[in-house]
Every structure is written in structure tokens, then in C-alpha cells.
Amino acid sequence: MLRSLKRTVLSFAAFILIWQAAVAFGDFNPALFPKPQKVLEAFQELISTGLQGSSSGISLFAHIQASLARFFAGYVLAVVFGVVLGLLLGWFPRVFAYVNPVIQLLRPIAPVAWLPFIVLWIGIGDVPAVAIIFIAGFFPVLLSTAGAVSSVDPVFLKVAENFNLSQFRTVAGIVFLAAFPQIANSLHLALSTFWIFLVSGEMVGAQSGLGFLVMDAKNCIRADALLAAMITIGGLGVLLDFLIGRLEKWVSNTWGFGIVKYEKERGR
Amino acid sequence: MYIEVEDVSIKYRQKGKEFQALDHVSLSVEKGEFVCLLGSSGCGKTTLLHAVAGFAKTTEGQVTIGGKRVEGSDMRHVMIFQNYGLLPWRTVQKNVELGLESKKMPKQQRGEIAERYLDMVGLANFKNHHPHQLSGGMQQRVAIARALAVKPEILFMDEPFGALDAITRMKLQDDVRRLSTEEKKTILFVAHDIEEAVILADRVVVMTPNPGRIKSIVNIRLGHMRDRTSDEFIMARDKIFEIFHMKTERAVEYYI
């Protein structure tokens, strides 16, 4: 724990030092490549008043709040629909065989490519950014859930059959829970891409949020604020990743995969 | 007869090739009898067990239990699997309650029954553990408690002790033997080896592969309490070795 903290601090210190050196010794336009201190000042500005000269005039926290709200809305929608449909399609493989060709066609379409279509339909606002996350997450979650269902240990199904569990109880109480570690893993993988897609969604279809802030700062030719927004995006991505990692650990502990135990034995 | 296997054949299609797992097998089992199925891999012993348990469909012939044709799995006939089949996300107690939940039993009553059977298999202190915190032998005990909790008439056991170490296996064999006499359950058991079959069974059904058939049925008359070191045990075991042609005949030399 202490060692990893030391590594983190040293890593950031080196990063800032190299940045500072690059600004000091390189011959860059300071408006385009600001030094770390400028970015820190931009942070203060964003937090207290919001970006100067911007059309929206809301603070960084309001942007973060808007982004996170969209993020969770899109995430929850994608997870609920993806998992429920994935369970059903995994449980009824014959139906899945008919649905799968269409899924395979829709899946490779980049979520960003949906965006103009969605903006045409609904206009800008919260919906496009939420929709883009939904699209980005729905297909991977659906497919990995269906895959997890088909790889559930058949002994669980036999036990369910033997003890006269209803079809609903078998799917909700056995299959879902047996597949859950694998599903949770896919939710973790999806999460980091969700965050990426949210930002790109907000860059086009929103009037608030971190993606919008990035575009806003660019339009105001404020490289320092732009970098501050980017760092915020990265930091929040790390935080979200950490939180779902904790959830995953709890799952693997409860389900008995002993991953945590193994890590403890290796020592930190 | 209680369980009647009447001229059952089971064929599978595997990669376009037809595979005959069972070839016109007939077997009768009395109520309260302990029957072991024994044979090399591919002899259809597991297929036969799963057909009687209602997990596998017969291609020809039929299986009846108590005069009723077996068409699916039922809680009155519980299967015990080699890899235990415990639900890893449930505690030991909740695992034992699984079948009771299907009986729409009130929560308190479920808990009492679960505790009683966990006590019986000697795991009362582990009711709040998760299966992965227990050893293999303890996990199989939980599976046995879970099966007994629904008061089944028949226990099907599919090499239940195959994954356990030798000492634990012998202990559990003794427990199951005692169980069959005390609880008077009919038990159909796929045995892991010859010793296991002889220590447990009233009758041993010896099967041969390609296609799966019954070669012979051996009555084991050793009574309820069995001793692995007794002459009777060794003689019964030798008889089965002979059926498998694994006993080498040789003149015994004596040195005095």
C-alpha cells in the first residue's frame, strides 16, 4: 500500500517535471502549450467561475455532475437491458441464433457513427450522450452475458431441475448468479470504454459536461483549460475504474474465487 | 420391483457419428437396495444412472420407478454429483435449503430442517460458511445434507467421492453405508473403484463398454457392518477382479 503510494507520487512528480522542462527548454507558444502552473490556475478558474468567456458559464463541478449523471443513466440502461436480454437470449439459444445476425451487423458500427442519426432525431441535449453510452455498452454486455449463460456449469442446471426450480427461478436464481462473475467482468471492461464514449458524445451533442468543456475550451483557444478538462476526465476514469474494481473483488470473494486471498498471500 | 430398467438403449450423435452408450440394458432394483454400477470409462454407467434419474432420454426401452415411467427429474429422486453441485454464492445453510424453497415451506421451518441435516452430517458449525471455504469432503457432505433435506426416496450418486483423497473417501463411504441402513434409502451408485463397490453395495452391476452392456451382477453378502480388512471382503473383491480378468493365477509358494 505504502509502496504503491510512493510509486504513484514519484510517477506524477516525474511527469510534471518533464512537462515543466519541456515548456522551459522548448520553444513553444505558451498559449498552446502552457506550463503546469497555468493549468493549475485554469483549474481554479474552472472550479470558481467556470470558463471565462464561455457560452455556458457553469463551474467544473456542474460539468462533472452533468457527465456523471449521463454516465450512470447510460450505464444503468445498457447494463439492465444488456443483462436481461443477454440472459434471455443465452437461455433460448434458438432465438439467439435468429437475432444474432442483426446484432453482428449493428455491433461494429462505432457508437460515434450513431450520433448524427440521434442528433437528427432528438436534437442535442442529454439524450445523445446517454444514447451513445447505451449503444457502446449494450452490445458487448448483451453478447458477453449470453456467452456467460451458455458456459454456466451444466451441473447447476441439473441441480435446479432436480430440485424442481421453476424456469424463472432457474434463470434468475441460478443461471444469472452462476454467470454473474463473468458478467461483472464484462461490466468492468465496458466501463472504461463507456467513459471514453461519453466524452466523445458530449463533444458533439451536449451543452454541458466534460466533453462539452473540452470543445468549449478549444473554441475559446484556452489550452490550459483544455488540459485541465482532460486531466479531470482521466482522473474520474481512474476513480470509476477503482470503484468497479472494488465491486468485482467483493463479487469474487462472495462467489468464492479467492482472488483477494491470492493477492494477500503475494503480499504488498 | 421398485426401479425397472426395461431393455433400454441410448444412442448419441457426436460430430455426425452415432455412439451407442447403452445397448439393451435391463436392471431391476428393489426398494431399500444399495446397487453399485461398476465398469471402465465408456461402459455407460453414468448414462444409465442419468437415464434412471430422468436427466437422459432413452432411445429405446423405458425406465419406471414405482410403476411410473420416468420422464424427467424429480425431487423424490435426488442426484449427488462428483463435483458436488453446490451453489458457490449461497452459504452452506442456504444450499441445503434449496430444495425446501421449491416446497414453499416457511423460512423458519426451512432453517430448522437444514440445521437438522447439517447436524447429521457433522457440519452444524459451518452453516454460515460458503462452499469454497470447506474441504472437498465437507462440500460433499453438504450436498448429501441438501439431498436428504427433501426426504427423497432414492439417492443417485455419480462417483461422489471420486475427487476426494483416499482417507476422506473411506470415511464418507462408511457414512453412506450407515445412511442407507438407517434412513432406508434406495441408492444407485456409480462406483469409482472395485473396493468402493464392495464396501457399499448389496449388488454390484459390472458393465462393459462399446456398446455399454451389463456383463454380470454380483451379490455382496457382507451384512451391514463391513470391514475392509476381513477375509469376506477380500473374497468378494477378488470375485469382481476375476470378472474383469485382472486376477493373475499363480501357484503360491510358501516359505516356512
Side-chain angles (χ1 to χ4, degrees):
Chain A
M1 184 66 197
L2 226 104
R3 248 164 85 189
S4 81
L5 191 72
K6 190 181 89 183
R7 286 180 195 144
T8 310
V9 169
L10 279 178
S11 162
F12 279 116
F15 176 70
I16 291 169
L17 216 71
I18 293 168
W19 180 359
Q20 184 77 47
V23 173
F25 297 113
D27 186 22
F28 299 109
N29 180 348
L32 293 183
F33 189 39
K35 56 187 181 187
Q37 196 197 340
K38 277 288 280 179
V39 174
L40 205 65
E41 282 164 19
F43 257 118
Q44 280 169 348
E45 178 191 329
L46 287 175
I47 289 165
S48 55
T49 61
L51 186 64
Q52 295 292 322
S54 148
S55 54
S56 69
I58 53 175
S59 77
L60 180 64
F61 290 123
H63 284 301
I64 290 175
Q65 204 186 345
S67 281
L68 284 179
R70 289 180 192 131
F71 175 79
F72 284 114
Y75 190 63
V76 168
L77 280 175
V79 166
V80 168
F81 279 91
V83 167
V84 170
L85 270 171
L87 279 174
L88 289 174
L89 290 180
W91 188 244
F92 299 109
R94 283 193 204 141
V95 180
F96 188 42
Y98 281 98
V99 180
N100 199 25
V102 177
I103 295 178
Q104 294 306 334
L105 173 74
L106 295 178
R107 198 171 62 114
I109 302 173
V112 187
W114 285 88
L115 205 61
F117 185 67
I118 295 164
V119 172
L120 269 183
W121 263 64
I122 307 169
I124 58 173
D126 284 332
V127 179
V130 172
I132 207 171
I133 293 195
F134 178 77
I135 292 164
F138 175 68
F139 291 114
V141 170
L142 173 87
L143 289 173
S144 70
T145 304
V149 169
S150 63
S151 65
V152 163
D153 189 339
V155 80
F156 292 142
L157 304 181
K158 283 184 177 158
V159 167
E161 199 190 330
N162 201 171
F163 287 109
N164 297 2
L165 268 69
S166 64
Q167 179 139 299
F168 176 77
R169 276 186 67 207
T170 305
V171 174
I174 306 277
V175 172
F176 172 60
L177 293 170
F180 192 67
Q182 217 177 320
I183 295 173
N185 189 33
S186 83
L187 299 186
H188 188 176
L189 288 177
L191 185 117
S192 32
T193 52
F194 282 10
W195 191 238
I196 292 165
F197 285 119
L198 171 77
V199 170
S200 44
E202 283 177 341
M203 285 168 83
V204 183
Q207 289 297 308
S208 60
L210 293 165
F212 167 78
L213 183 62
V214 167
M215 291 310 279
D216 203 18
K218 183 214 108 190
N219 290 338
C220 296
I221 320 178
R222 286 285 304 280
D224 52 343
L226 183 57
L227 285 173
M230 285 163 64
I231 290 168
T232 310
I233 291 166
L236 282 171
V238 170
L239 184 71
L240 289 169
D241 199 57
F242 171 76
L243 288 177
I244 195 132
R246 290 294 290 267
L247 178 74
E248 220 177 7
K249 233 170 212 181
W250 173 79
V251 167
S252 70
N253 249 0
T254 314
W255 265 250
F257 296 103
I259 291 166
V260 173
K261 223 187 280 165
Y262 173 63
E263 278 181 1
K264 264 188 198 146
E265 272 163 17
R266 281 176 62 194
R268 272 284 120 198
Chain B
M1 280 296 177
Y2 185 47
I3 301 173
E4 284 284 1
V5 179
E6 293 164 37
D7 203 27
V8 164
S9 296
I10 293 183
K11 288 173 187 154
Y12 291 121
R13 289 196 75 82
Q14 238 174 8
K15 291 169 194 155
K17 264 197 274 178
E18 200 160 77
F19 173 71
Q20 180 125 25
L22 285 179
D23 182 27
H24 299 282
V25 169
S26 295
L27 178 70
S28 303
V29 179
E30 270 179 70
K31 203 161 194 159
E33 202 178 7
F34 200 135
V35 172
C36 278
L37 306 175
L38 189 61
S40 54
S41 62
C43 73
K45 54 189 195 282
T46 297
T47 309
L48 177 57
L49 186 75
H50 282 236
V52 181
F55 289 129
K57 285 220 158 23
T58 56
T59 317
E60 283 172 55
Q62 64 167 0
V63 180
T64 59
I65 295 179
K68 270 169 80 181
R69 190 172 175 160
V70 173
E71 264 151 359
S73 180
D74 190 286
M75 233 199 293
R76 284 173 301 151
H77 320 134
V78 178
M79 174 78 86
I80 307 244
F81 298 92
Q82 181 173 5
N83 48 0
Y84 326 125
L86 297 178
L87 309 176
W89 55 89
R90 285 185 175 225
T91 61
V92 163
Q93 165 140 3
K94 290 277 170 207
N95 262 291
V96 178
E97 288 181 24
L98 181 69
L100 304 173
E101 288 166 12
S102 299
K103 290 188 169 180
K104 307 240 182 321
M105 199 176 269
K107 196 169 185 270
Q108 199 194 342
Q109 199 184 348
R110 283 202 315 251
E112 285 166 8
I113 294 178
E115 277 182 47
R116 185 157 79 238
Y117 283 98
L118 279 173
D119 194 37
M120 188 173 147
V121 297
L123 290 174
N125 294 333
F126 294 89
K127 63 178 187 176
N128 293 324
H129 284 58
H130 278 87
H132 66 97
Q133 295 169 301
L134 307 182
S135 69
M138 289 156 93
Q139 291 189 41
Q140 194 59 289
R141 282 172 198 271
V142 176
I144 291 170
R146 178 173 74 181
L148 293 176
V150 298
K151 293 202 162 55
E153 292 159 16
I154 307 173
L155 283 180
F156 297 112
M157 306 184 101
D158 187 4
E159 290 195 48
F161 312 138
L164 306 177
D165 66 87
I167 304 291
T168 310
R169 190 188 304 160
M170 282 192 259
K171 264 200 173 126
L172 279 173
Q173 285 164 359
D174 293 346
D175 288 348
V176 166
R177 178 71 222 173
R178 189 152 29 81
L179 198 99
S180 87
T181 46
E182 282 171 10
E183 299 270 312
K184 299 198 172 47
K185 306 282 181 203
T186 310
I187 302 181
L188 196 55
F189 189 111
V190 172
H192 181 70
D193 55 34
I194 293 173
E195 263 106 2
E196 181 168 80
V198 175
I199 202 76
L200 291 173
D202 299 321
R203 277 193 299 156
V204 177
V205 177
V206 179
M207 299 179 72
T208 50
N210 302 321
R213 283 183 184 143
I214 292 177
K215 186 175 184 190
S216 60
I217 297 178
V218 182
N219 287 307
I220 311 282
R221 295 193 184 83
L222 291 176
H224 289 319
M225 296 302 294
R226 299 187 177 185
D227 179 357
R228 287 183 182 78
T229 55
S230 69
D231 293 342
E232 292 88 348
F233 175 83
I234 291 169
M235 273 164 64
R237 195 194 62 183
D238 283 2
K239 205 165 146 191
I240 295 172
F241 271 114
E242 269 168 37
I243 295 170
F244 283 108
H245 303 294
M246 287 170 75
K247 202 168 151 66
T248 36
E249 298 295 332
R250 59 171 182 199
V252 183
E253 288 178 58
Y254 291 98
Y255 296 93
I256 299 171

